[in-house]
Amino acid sequence: MKIVQHKASGTNISEVTGEGLLISSADDIMDIIGNLYYSASSDKIIIHENNIVPEFFDLSSRMAGDILQKISNYRIRLAIVGDFSKFTKKSIKDFIYESNKTGRINFVKSVAEAIQKLS
């Protein structure tokens, strides 16, 4: 796991990257939250879609709900960067739309857009 720090409008934003999967369970997101809280004092996180297991985007797996509940419990703001046009099920499209409306969890196309949403 690699953490890239971004500063925008006086805010620390941590971009978590790495080769392969980084998040395959709610425990994985808790590890990331812990690392970022203590090492970077950051409560704003950017994660790339390709570092999350595909089951996250199958809402029937309940993985997205479990992971995003942890994010909400710790008052973390999250941006997930990726190409979400490939998801065609109405449920995931609606989920992404509703998440983007609240602003706490954002599904965006680029790191620049993620930084703008989180700052």
Side-chain angles (χ1 to χ4, degrees):
M1 175 172 68
K2 180 181 173 189
I3 299 170
V4 177
Q5 294 297 327
H6 301 278
K7 268 234 194 261
S9 302
T11 301
N12 290 333
I13 301 169
S14 299
E15 178 183 1
V16 180
T17 64
E19 292 191 29
L21 296 175
L22 298 175
I23 301 171
S24 59
S25 69
D27 289 340
D28 293 337
I29 199 66
M30 290 304 300
D31 289 344
I32 290 171
I33 290 170
N35 285 334
L36 294 178
Y37 183 78
Y38 292 107
S39 67
S41 297
S42 180
D43 62 352
K44 296 177 179 151
I45 305 172
I46 299 170
I47 298 174
H48 295 266
E49 172 209 350
N50 61 346
N51 294 131
I52 305 171
V53 292
E55 290 81 12
F56 177 91
F57 298 97
D58 175 5
L59 297 182
S60 66
S61 75
R62 303 183 72 182
M63 185 178 295
D66 291 345
I67 289 172
L68 297 182
Q69 184 63 49
K70 300 288 185 196
I71 294 288
S72 291
N73 288 348
Y74 288 90
R75 300 181 190 266
I76 303 292
R77 291 193 55 212
L78 173 69
I80 301 174
V81 176
D83 176 12
F84 305 104
S85 65
K86 63 186 164 203
F87 300 110
T88 57
K89 286 187 176 178
K90 182 176 180 353
S91 58
I92 190 66
K93 290 168 89 172
D94 289 347
F95 180 78
I96 289 170
Y97 175 80
E98 290 297 324
S99 293
N100 285 347
K101 274 180 40 176
T102 66
R104 182 153 299 279
I105 311 292
N106 295 279
F107 292 83
V108 297
K109 295 179 182 180
S110 69
V111 171
E113 185 180 358
I115 291 169
Q116 185 264 330
K117 291 277 187 185
L118 295 175
S119 61

